[in-house]
Amino acid sequence: MDISTMSLKELADQLTKKTVTSEQLTQACLDRIQEQNPEINAFIRVAEDALEQARAIDTRRASGEQMGPLAGIPVGLKDNMLVKGQVTTAGSQILEGHVSAYDGTVVSRLKSAGAIIIGQTNMDEFAMGSSSESSHYGITKNPWDTTKVPGGSSGGSAAAVSAGFVPFALGSDTGGSIRQPASLCGVTGLKPTYGRVSRYGLMAMASSLDQIGPFAKSVEDVMTIMECIEGQDPNDGTSIRLDSTSVPELLEPSVAGLTLGIPKEYFIEGMDPEVKARVMDAVVVLEKAGAKIEEISMPHSEYALATYYIIMPCEASSNLGKFDGLRFGYHSMGSDLEDTYRRTRGEGFGSEVKRRIMLGSYALSAGYYDAYYRKALQMRTLIKQDFDEALKRVDAIITPTSPSVAWGIGEKFNDPITMYLSDIYTVTANLATVPALSVPCGFVNNLPVGLQIMGKPFDEQMLYRIGAFYQSQTDWHKRTP
Ligand code: GLN
């Protein structure tokens, strides 16, 4: 049985009919990981008890228990989500060997749904990056071409689904870290509306921007996962009670009559013309099916990257203050307390993390706060207003997910500004707190291209409808490396 091409629904059907057991399914994933992970490095840890978890689910099923759609299905988790008793490091040396004391909310929800936690996927250190090259645990390679990056920061989760190691995975998205690697690896990825999924037990990068979301092979699979992980959580005061939930059965199979906005500011000079062509092909598919396409303007888009690269480091510098060598993780003894801090943080953090801590501390310091941080917050409001205005007129906004396809390993690693530019289309959704979906929409030089669909806060249903309709008309999401 080739599990690498099966949808969650197909897998769940097989498990329910007992034509396959969770143990067999989990073993098939483990075999594939063992065979191909040494090259791809999507997983940095595999749970020792994966088969044990699977057998426990098989036993419950055999006893006649009714089980949900994820029961017995293996999942990969980005290495920044706490799993009780398992090592979780956020891809950093500073947390090497750190054992989580509790389950994050998404993890406990996955466990109650019977999903098999198969291990931790690689990521840029503390989710800072767009290429999965800054992990302390080595780089992850793109399954479509192992000389290329998989995108980041959740590159391990994207590569794990793309390579068929697991049917689905979770990542976190602060400025594009689900959508951009989904795009570069040819899988479907969703950044939910801020507040839709609890962040409790997610190692924070920038708390006002972070959201957890799924990687899967189709929009329908994404909905199945969301139905399990979304919803209000008393442990996260920013999570919100939902009026509408993600239920695949509620999908409307049409885009006729919808108005879709194409922001002219997103088709900038410098983007790969071939990527633009694939995105416009996708727009034609939607237009032919009866969607009305309208050019719109989002005038503050040009300030989005600058705004993001102030707000994110400010929040990150504050969030990362707790890694002091005393409370958890790596410790390097100095001559006095301050020297201990200096050594621990100097040795334990990689250079991208240190760069952002310095940027954030600087922008928050007396005298610069007004010039940088406050200005960035004001600009964030204007960017949010661009979205509010546009989404009064259109049902959703269509853009590329990334200005280019996957680039060569090492190509941008020593040039942070160029690396930051690759986030140009994704940071706006986090700043505006709107949901955004990336679906595969073609290839350039045999590398996948992603189409981004953004919508009104908490209107994920609209993104599912457009994305699922597009996937019913095309087969890009079914291609495998
Ligand atoms: N690539 C972006 C950055 O480096 C986004 C990261 C993320 O979403 N975690 O900040």
Side-chain angles (χ1 to χ4, degrees):
M1 174 178 69
D2 185 11
I3 55 143
S4 65
T5 55
M6 289 170 74
S7 71
L8 288 178
K9 201 165 164 206
E10 285 164 343
L11 290 168
D13 281 349
Q14 303 265 346
L15 288 163
T16 310
K17 282 192 271 169
K18 303 201 176 80
T19 42
V20 66
T21 64
S22 172
E23 184 176 359
Q24 287 165 335
L25 179 56
T26 306
Q27 187 61 57
C29 292
L30 291 172
D31 289 346
R32 209 169 164 99
I33 292 170
Q34 193 180 22
E35 191 188 309
Q36 292 178 29
N37 196 59
E39 165 82 347
I40 305 286
N41 199 30
F43 275 96
I44 53 177
R45 250 167 270 113
V46 172
E48 281 171 13
D49 68 346
L51 287 171
E52 209 176 298
Q53 294 176 50
R55 283 192 285 267
I57 294 295
D58 287 335
T59 310
R60 281 169 55 189
R61 200 187 296 274
S63 75
E65 192 176 325
Q66 281 301 317
M67 310 205 104
L70 295 180
I73 301 184
V75 54
L77 297 177
K78 187 175 182 178
D79 189 34
N80 58 0
M81 296 172 199
L82 303 189
V83 184
K84 189 176 179 183
Q86 287 187 17
V87 172
T88 314
T89 66
S92 181
Q93 184 181 5
I94 210 158
L95 282 170
E96 193 154 23
H98 169 72
V99 177
S100 302
Y102 62 95
D103 280 332
T105 299
V106 293
V107 173
S108 51
R109 289 189 182 178
L110 285 172
K111 282 184 177 173
S112 351
I116 312 301
I117 315 282
I118 210 168
Q120 278 71 36
T121 58
N122 204 9
M123 58 183 282
D124 281 300
E125 186 179 5
F126 281 102
M128 298 177 185
S130 312
S131 64
S132 301
E133 294 170 290
S134 75
S135 167
H136 176 62
Y137 306 95
I139 58 177
T140 297
K141 296 178 181 167
N142 191 315
W144 289 90
D145 176 348
T146 52
T147 67
K148 307 281 193 229
V149 301
S153 64
S154 317
S157 289
V161 174
S162 163
F165 294 172
V166 274
F168 75 108
L170 295 189
S172 63
D173 189 313
T174 305
S177 282
I178 293 174
R179 291 159 286 154
Q180 186 258 19
S183 167
L184 271 47
C185 288
V187 298
T188 304
L190 174 74
K191 180 203 88 75
T193 307
Y194 184 80
R196 191 170 190 100
V197 179
S198 168
R199 293 177 294 109
Y200 180 69
L202 171 70
M203 291 178 180
M205 175 180 171
S207 309
S208 78
L209 303 163
D210 298 340
Q211 264 298 284
I212 293 174
F215 288 92
K217 288 194 284 280
S218 69
V219 171
E220 216 180 340
D221 283 2
V222 159
M223 293 181 78
T224 302
I225 302 156
M226 285 301 291
E227 196 187 351
C228 167
I229 63 172
E230 69 192 356
Q232 195 170 28
D233 171 18
N235 287 322
D236 175 0
T238 63
S239 73
I240 296 208
R241 194 165 52 81
L242 300 174
D243 297 326
S244 79
T245 46
S246 309
V247 183
E249 284 68 35
L250 299 180
L251 264 188
E252 221 172 303
S254 148
V255 292
L258 296 181
T259 307
L260 306 178
I262 313 282
K264 58 171 192 265
E265 291 81 1
Y266 279 64
F267 293 85
I268 43 154
E269 223 171 287
M271 81 172 294
D272 183 335
E274 291 287 311
V275 167
K276 178 178 174 180
R278 295 301 98 80
V279 169
M280 294 322 284
D281 289 347
V283 170
V284 169
V285 170
L286 299 169
E287 192 171 23
K288 279 199 176 136
K292 193 166 150 252
I293 309 296
E294 211 173 276
E295 186 182 84
I296 57 171
S297 173
M298 304 185 75
H300 298 95
S301 307
E302 65 173 298
Y303 306 108
L305 265 185
T307 304
Y308 171 78
Y309 276 97
I310 294 291
I311 292 176
M312 172 273 299
C314 286
E315 295 187 21
S317 70
S318 156
N319 276 326
L320 269 52
K322 58 179 161 292
F323 300 105
D324 56 5
L326 303 179
R327 280 176 275 197
F328 23 58
Y330 184 82
H331 169 84
S332 180
M333 189 68 169
S335 54
D336 56 22
L337 185 61
E338 205 175 314
D339 192 39
T340 299
Y341 290 158
R342 194 176 298 121
R343 278 168 176 260
T344 299
R345 290 168 68 84
E347 296 161 18
F349 285 134
S351 51
E352 184 59 28
V353 174
K354 282 189 268 196
R355 185 177 298 127
R356 295 194 192 195
I357 291 174
M358 284 190 281
L359 257 173
S361 309
Y362 178 80
L364 284 176
S365 58
Y368 294 106
Y369 181 96
D370 287 317
Y372 295 112
Y373 184 63
R374 189 189 302 278
K375 271 255 146 34
L377 291 182
Q378 288 165 339
M379 187 50 74
R380 182 177 186 174
T381 302
L382 295 174
I383 290 168
K384 169 92 180 121
Q385 282 170 5
D386 280 357
F387 274 87
D388 292 345
E389 285 307 313
L391 288 163
K392 271 185 208 155
R393 298 188 12 230
V394 300
D395 296 300
I397 298 168
I398 307 280
T399 75
T401 305
S402 160
S404 73
V405 291
W407 57 88
I409 289 169
E411 210 176 300
K412 299 185 183 175
F413 192 60
N414 293 316
D415 183 357
I417 301 284
T418 311
M419 186 78 90
Y420 299 168
L421 282 174
S422 66
D423 304 328
I424 189 147
Y425 299 140
T426 47
V427 297
T428 47
N430 303 75
L431 291 167
T433 71
V434 302
L437 175 72
S438 180
V439 294
C441 70
F443 290 83
V444 172
N445 300 328
N446 293 323
L447 292 166
V449 179
L451 175 78
Q452 179 172 235
I453 310 167
M454 300 187 276
K456 297 183 183 78
F458 298 102
D459 192 12
E460 272 77 355
Q461 198 65 30
M462 180 59 73
L463 310 190
Y464 300 148
R465 178 174 164 188
I466 299 165
F469 177 79
Y470 180 70
Q471 292 188 335
S472 74
Q473 303 297 303
T474 56
D475 71 350
W476 306 116
H477 61 293
K478 293 194 175 144
R479 313 277 177 101
T480 52

